[in-house]
Amino acid sequence: ALDEDHDGRVDRNLNYDDAGRLVSSDDDLNGDGVMETSSLYEDGRLARRRTDANGDGQSDTWTFYRGEEILRTELDRDGDGFRDEVAFYSKGQIDREEIDKNGDARPDTVSLYTDGQISEKREDLDFDGRADMVSRYKNGKLASREGDSAEVLEMWNRDGAK
């Protein structure tokens, strides 16, 4: 147990196996006395981390690693216990992001990235499993947008580009 900020409370618990390799850690990152982040290690290297970012006592962010390289992050934004957003990484940069806006466990928005910048976004605005709107980006800025129909464009404009 470590008190890294010297306030008299434990900030970090480290757990080791019989060979002396780190297998898990629990961290209080915001100094409130609650361990909101738990990390698991494989062969002494970070493999998974879960965090309660909003302080409700439930994990809402899960991050997966290979060595120190991030592979995937999953987020539960609405607190229902299911992942609403998943981001995939390649060589330390975001590669793809999937967002489930209606809770049906299928991505409604898929964003693709090139060199860490958004290059394309596919949106299923009516939740039928098909992309209704495709936006393409150049250098991270919107370059073109194609909609399935005028009705979809009206829906997108009315609801805002979420």
Side-chain angles (χ1 to χ4, degrees):
L2 303 170
D3 177 13
E4 294 178 335
D5 62 4
H6 309 290
D7 66 354
R9 292 191 294 195
V10 174
D11 305 313
R12 188 166 212 208
N13 285 318
L14 301 173
N15 302 297
Y16 296 89
D17 64 14
D18 292 337
R21 289 182 304 224
L22 184 62
V23 293
S24 68
S25 67
D26 297 303
D27 298 274
D28 174 13
L29 300 176
N30 61 10
D32 66 355
V34 176
M35 302 291 178
E36 68 272 344
T37 299
S38 294
S39 301
L40 297 175
Y41 298 80
E42 293 174 0
D43 296 321
R45 299 178 70 169
L46 183 60
R48 293 181 298 282
R49 177 174 285 153
R50 69 173 189 247
T51 302
D52 173 17
N54 64 10
D56 69 354
Q58 301 296 318
S59 295
D60 47 40
T61 305
W62 299 263
T63 308
F64 301 85
Y65 300 85
R66 180 179 300 124
E68 295 299 317
E69 183 179 327
I70 186 171
L71 298 176
R72 185 175 78 241
T73 299
E74 302 176 352
L75 297 141
D76 174 15
R77 295 249 186 235
D78 60 11
D80 66 357
F82 296 98
R83 281 76 165 165
D84 308 309
E85 295 182 25
V86 181
F88 300 88
Y89 296 82
S90 177
K91 298 178 185 168
Q93 292 189 329
I94 190 166
D95 189 52
R96 186 174 84 233
E97 181 180 45
E98 300 177 352
I99 301 172
D100 175 14
K101 294 181 178 181
N102 66 345
D104 66 355
R106 295 186 314 184
D108 306 306
T109 300
V110 177
S111 299
L112 305 175
Y113 294 79
T114 303
D115 297 325
Q117 287 192 338
I118 189 165
S119 58
E120 183 174 296
K121 182 188 284 186
R122 302 174 193 154
E123 298 173 88
D124 176 8
L125 301 172
D126 58 5
F127 308 116
D128 67 353
R130 291 186 11 241
D132 303 303
M133 179 79 61
V134 178
S135 303
R136 290 185 177 79
Y137 297 79
K138 187 171 184 174
N139 298 321
K141 297 187 187 296
L142 182 63
S144 69
R145 177 170 290 129
E146 298 171 20
D148 203 13
S149 68
E151 179 184 345
V152 168
L153 286 171
E154 289 174 24
M155 184 186 309
W156 186 85
N157 287 325
R158 182 188 68 234
D159 295 340
K162 297 177 184 169

